[in-house]
Amino acid sequence: MKARIPKNYGGMPGSMQGMIQQAQKMQEEITKKQAEIDEMDFTASVGGGAVEVVMSGKKELKSITIKPEVVDPEDVEMLQDLVISAVNEVLRAVESKTSDEMDKITNGLNIPGLL
């Protein structure tokens, strides 16, 4: 009686190879999309346009515009709060865009090591 050796014995099953190829493709798409996001600019405005912040997708602050009428030497704390609020808002926008775009690629899967 001859012993039967299962197909793909000693190698990866076909479905495993397919999964690896799919993961590699997904990683390439993630890298490409992250590069696109890195090149984007995000803007947030608070206080009715009193403070505007522009940040890159790399989370680098590019500019802060403050309308002169909000510069009150008697109320520096308000201006500080507006700047903090604008920076936090633009950071949330960058994070949200990045998360949304990655979810489109991964179909919402949280794959350790891919992101």
Side-chain angles (χ1 to χ4, degrees), residues 91-102:
L91 275 171
R92 279 190 289 275
V94 174
E95 291 290 331
S96 177
K97 177 70 171 178
T98 302
S99 178
D100 290 348
E101 292 299 322
M102 295 308 149

Side-chain angles (χ1 to χ4, degrees), residues 26 29 33 97-109:
M26 194 180 297
E29 289 177 29
K33 185 55 75 174
K97 177 70 171 178
T98 302
S99 178
D100 290 348
E101 292 299 322
M102 295 308 149
D103 282 350
K104 288 178 189 175
I105 294 169
T106 64
N107 292 320
L109 289 174

